[in-house]
Each structure stands twice: as structure tokens, then as C-alpha cells.
Amino acid sequence: MKNKYLFISFLSVVLLLTACTGNNPLSKVNVDKPRISYGGVSFNFPEQWKLETENIDNGDISYIDIADDEDLYMKIWIMNFVDIPEKKLENYLLDWGPEYKVESEAVASARFGEYDAKMRKYSVSLNDLAVYGNAYSFCYGGKTFLITKHSESRVKLQHSFSLIESTFHIE
């Protein structure tokens, strides 16, 4: 019986030390990175990136712009109403206007962070300039979210937003 209590005590100390050293999988939130909480969402982001926020339409829509100094850009729209995600994706692509050449793939099921979403890959070009993007839309908690991210590089598009996506949380 004494060995059982000794083992439990030892295990408790090991678990406590693991939690304190940050090796606990539950403590993987990047506490060393800046975090924003705005419009009912929160996430970490690279510290050198710039953020802007705004409320429009009498507060019915909020958005967060996130960009680095090169070619990475993300925008998160938070709409305080429920709408059809596929419709939001279509309207986003139409908003580029006729002067841009927009090509897109069909709407597909995807995930943005921990949330099920509809997603559409696209490219937009004007003269010799092109950007590649992914647009996500989903409804959660009586709100509609539209999240777009784009870059001049498909590789950067795939990897550069992982911190934001992995820590994105609706409050």
C-alpha cells in the first residue's frame, strides 16, 4: 500500500513539473506571441505583423485586417447575423470588380482552426500582378464569419497563417 501512495505522489510531481515547463500539450497556446481579442474572436499573431480593426454598419459588422510588411494579408469579417456561407464566398469574389481577372475553384468543405467551414481557393490578377488566396466562411453562435487570406506565393499562403489559424477562437 505504501508503494501505491509513493507512486501516485511521484506521478503527481511529474505531471506538475510537466505542466509548469510547458511540455503539456494543453499549454501549447503561444503565450509569447501577441494576442488580440476583438469582435468576439481571439487569436495569436506574429509580433511584427500589423493589425487594424473597425466596426461598420452600426456595429453589425466588425473586421480585423492582419498583414506583414511583404505580401501576406488576412481579413476577418465578423457579422452579427446568420447568412449562407457559400453566398458570402461568392459575393467576396464578385467584389473584386470587372477590372480584375478572378479564377476560383468550387466551394469545398474545410476547417478554419477548430471550426467547420466552406472554403474557396482563388487567384486574382491585374496586368502582371497576381495573388493567391483562400476564403473561408461559416456560421457559429448566431454570427457569420468570412475569413480571407492571400499572398503572392502559394507556398507562403499555405504556411504563413498557421499561428493565427491554430489559435483562432470564438469567445
Side-chain angles (χ1 to χ4, degrees):
M1 186 66 113
K2 183 177 177 185
N3 287 341
K4 179 179 176 183
Y5 289 116
L6 188 60
F7 176 73
I8 291 172
S9 296
F10 173 76
L11 185 60
S12 298
V13 169
V14 168
L15 290 173
L16 179 63
L17 288 174
T18 301
C20 292
T21 60
N23 291 329
N24 182 350
L26 298 177
S27 68
K28 290 297 183 194
V29 173
N30 293 288
V31 294
D32 60 330
K33 299 291 184 190
R35 186 162 184 86
I36 184 172
S37 181
Y38 182 80
V41 302
S42 62
F43 55 87
N44 292 83
F45 59 95
E47 60 188 276
Q48 69 275 18
W49 286 29
K50 295 171 180 53
L51 275 84
E52 290 184 26
T53 60
E54 188 170 340
N55 283 311
I56 55 176
D57 290 347
N58 295 323
D60 284 340
I61 299 174
S62 301
Y63 67 82
I64 305 168
D65 282 333
I66 311 135
D68 74 350
D69 286 333
E70 294 177 20
D71 72 328
L72 300 171
Y73 176 76
M74 178 182 270
K75 188 165 193 164
I76 301 171
W77 283 271
I78 305 136
M79 294 158 261
N80 292 321
F81 51 85
V82 175
D83 204 345
I84 301 166
E86 292 87 350
K87 179 179 157 189
K88 288 295 172 197
L89 295 173
E90 184 66 28
N91 289 341
Y92 171 72
L93 295 176
L94 291 172
D95 284 344
W96 281 95
E99 65 272 15
Y100 293 95
K101 180 181 177 188
V102 178
E103 296 178 357
S104 66
E105 295 181 10
V107 173
S109 295
R111 292 191 58 84
F112 187 86
E114 62 188 74
Y115 303 94
D116 290 327
K118 297 297 181 182
M119 190 256 303
R120 203 160 184 187
K121 293 182 179 183
Y122 62 91
S123 65
V124 178
S125 57
L126 179 64
N127 301 323
D128 292 336
L129 300 173
V131 294
Y132 305 97
N134 293 347
Y136 302 83
S137 186
F138 60 93
C139 297
Y140 186 87
K143 296 181 179 187
T144 303
F145 298 85
L146 175 64
I147 302 166
T148 60
K149 60 181 185 176
H150 63 258
S151 172
E152 293 174 8
S153 162
R154 287 184 178 163
V155 172
K156 284 184 178 180
L157 177 67
Q158 185 176 0
H159 299 290
S160 298
F161 299 94
S162 61
L163 174 62
I164 296 168
E165 289 182 51
S166 68
T167 61
F168 183 85
H169 180 72
I170 299 171
E171 300 167 335

